[in-house]
Amino acid sequence: MIRRAVRGLAGAFAAALTLAACGQPEPAARKEIVFSILSAESQASAEKDWQPFLDDMAKTLGRPVKAYYASNYTALVEAMRFGHTDLGWFTNQSGLETVRRAGGEVFARSVNPTGIDGYEAVIIVPKGSGVTLDRILACDRTLNFGMGDTKSTSGTLAPMTYLFAPRGIEPARCFKTVRSANHETNLFSVASGMLDAATNNTASMERLELLNTDTAKRTLGKVEIVWRSPRIPEDPLIIRKNLEPALRRQITDFIFSYGVGDTPEAVRQRAILEQIQTKPFARADASHLLPVREMEATGQLIDAKNRKDAAAIARAEAALAEIAKERAALAE
C-alpha cells in the first residue's frame, strides 16, 4: 500500500543503466544509510512526515540517513538492485519484486494505527456523478479511468485480481482513457472531475483525512467509494541481504525499539510514527508476502483461463499449490 539527499528519478535510471551496460559491481560502501520511501503520494508531503523519523535514525546509528524518493515503484526496486538504497518501505507488490529481483528480504512490516490490520483497495468516483460500479463494468468506453502504478498493490494488482480479471475486462479496452498515477493524484483528479473513476486505497484516504485541512475535507467530500477489495496486508519493510551484518543489526535494533515503551521519548517517537501512519514496526519475514503472491497467481490463473492458455493455466495452478503448501507448513 501505499502509506506514507533526494535523488531524481532520471538519475536513478541513468545510474542503473550505466552499471548494467558496464557490468560494474555494486558501488563501494557508503557512509550514509539510504532509506527508500514508496511514492504513493507526492514527495513534498512524504518529506514532511518522514524527516523526523530519519533524523532520529541518523542520531541513533551515528551516521547520515538519507531518503530516496521516486514517483515510480520501478525506480525503488532498481535502486535497491544496484545498491543505491539499503532498506525501505514498499508496497506488497513492489516488495515482492524487490525480493525476487533486487536482493532484498522482508524483515518488518507496518502496523495500522487504527487497530485494523490491513487496508482495502477502492474505486472512487465523483460524489453525485451517478457513476456506479455497474456503469464502470459496462465497458462502453465513455469513462476516463485512473489506475495506479503498475506495481501498486492497491492501485493495480487488487482491482485487476478481484474486479476486472474475473470478468475478462481489460481496462485499456473498457474505458475512453486510462491514466496511471499515484493515489494522491488520482484522488484529486476524481474530486475535480478530471477523472470519472479511479483506483485508490483506504490508507491514502485516511491519511488525507488526518490532515484535517479545508482542502482535505473538501476533496474527500467530493468523492465516494463504489467498490472495495478484500483486505490487503500491511506494507513490508525490505532490507538488502548483502548489507554488512553489524550494520544490519544496528538498523533492525533501531526499527524494533522505536516508539516502544512508556517513556516520554517513546511517546514522542510514536507521534512521529503516526505521521507516517504506523504504530511501532512489527517483525516479519518472507511469509508476509504469501497473500500478494496468492493474489498475483490468482490473477494469472483467471487471465490464462480467459485466454484458454493451457500452459499458463498449469503454471498458475502450480504457483497456487506451492503457496498452499507454504501456508500449511506455517500452520504446523
Side-chain angles (χ1 to χ4, degrees):
M1 143 232 91
I2 311 332
R3 270 194 309 250
R4 357 310 157 201
V6 176
R7 305 180 183 186
L9 178 60
F13 278 120
L17 290 172
T18 299
L19 286 170
C22 300
Q24 294 178 0
E26 181 180 311
R30 290 175 269 93
K31 290 184 178 180
E32 77 271 15
I33 299 298
V34 183
F35 193 117
S36 68
I37 297 166
L38 61 85
S39 53
E41 278 73 43
S42 70
Q43 179 177 313
S45 61
E47 284 180 327
K48 177 178 178 294
D49 293 338
W50 276 91
Q51 198 55 51
F53 174 82
L54 300 177
D55 289 343
D56 283 351
M57 188 175 183
K59 182 178 180 181
T60 299
L61 298 182
R63 64 173 72 198
V65 176
K66 297 182 179 180
Y68 178 98
Y69 299 98
S71 60
N72 172 301
Y73 290 113
T74 298
L76 299 181
V77 176
E78 292 299 293
M80 183 167 286
R81 180 185 173 201
F82 288 100
H84 298 312
T85 61
D86 302 299
L87 73 159
W89 184 325
F90 289 79
T91 62
N92 288 289
Q93 172 85 9
S94 61
L96 178 59
E97 185 165 355
T98 303
V99 168
R100 286 172 171 168
R101 298 182 54 246
E105 63 181 346
V106 177
F107 77 102
R109 49 157 287 186
S110 59
V111 178
N112 194 323
T114 67
I116 300 172
D117 192 28
Y119 61 101
E120 299 166 338
V122 299
I123 290 180
I124 55 175
V125 302
K127 183 173 288 186
S129 65
V131 177
T132 63
L133 183 59
D134 286 341
R135 170 81 186 283
I136 291 169
L137 297 177
C139 288
D140 57 9
R141 298 184 66 86
T142 62
L143 300 178
N144 296 306
F145 194 82
M147 291 287 281
D149 185 285
T150 56
K151 292 178 176 59
S152 170
T153 308
S154 58
T156 298
L157 181 61
M160 287 302 301
T161 300
Y162 296 123
L163 183 65
F164 294 131
R167 295 166 173 81
I169 293 174
E170 295 182 33
R173 297 182 180 181
C174 186
F175 303 111
K176 182 179 180 180
T177 63
V178 178
R179 306 175 188 177
S180 180
N182 62 35
H183 297 311
E184 186 176 69
T185 298
N186 279 339
L187 183 58
F188 281 97
S189 294
V190 171
S192 67
M194 293 177 62
L195 290 174
D196 299 302
T199 62
N200 216 279
N201 68 43
T202 53
S204 181
M205 298 177 76
E206 288 167 1
R207 179 165 42 250
L208 187 61
E209 185 176 15
L210 285 173
L211 294 178
N212 199 34
T213 63
D214 290 340
T215 299
K217 293 175 183 177
R218 186 165 54 250
T219 300
L220 291 171
K222 290 183 177 180
V223 303
E224 59 184 330
I225 295 172
V226 296
W227 175 81
R228 294 174 180 265
S229 74
R231 192 157 291 278
I232 298 168
E234 290 293 317
D235 293 329
L237 267 63
I238 308 287
I239 195 167
R240 280 199 293 119
K241 285 183 179 179
N242 61 357
L243 199 63
E244 195 273 318
L247 178 57
R248 179 186 173 117
R249 283 194 297 273
Q250 285 183 298
I251 291 172
T252 55
D253 286 348
F254 168 79
I255 292 292
F256 296 125
S257 64
Y258 195 79
V260 176
D262 298 322
T263 65
E265 177 63 8
V267 172
R268 182 190 70 84
Q269 292 171 353
R270 284 197 294 274
I272 290 172
L273 289 174
E274 286 177 6
Q275 288 300 114
I276 56 177
Q277 282 198 291
T278 186
K279 289 184 176 180
F281 293 106
R283 295 181 185 274
D285 55 29
S287 64
H288 178 82
L289 296 176
L290 281 174
V292 74
R293 286 173 53 199
E294 185 173 45
M295 196 186 309
E296 176 187 65
T298 299
Q300 291 169 346
L301 179 60
I302 292 168
D303 179 65
K305 286 182 176 179
N306 288 338
R307 294 185 287 107
K308 296 181 172 56
D309 185 332
I313 290 172
R315 286 193 297 270
E317 288 178 337
L320 287 169
E322 176 60 29
I323 292 164
K325 181 179 177 180
E326 291 180 41
R327 283 190 185 281
L330 288 171
E332 290 178 355

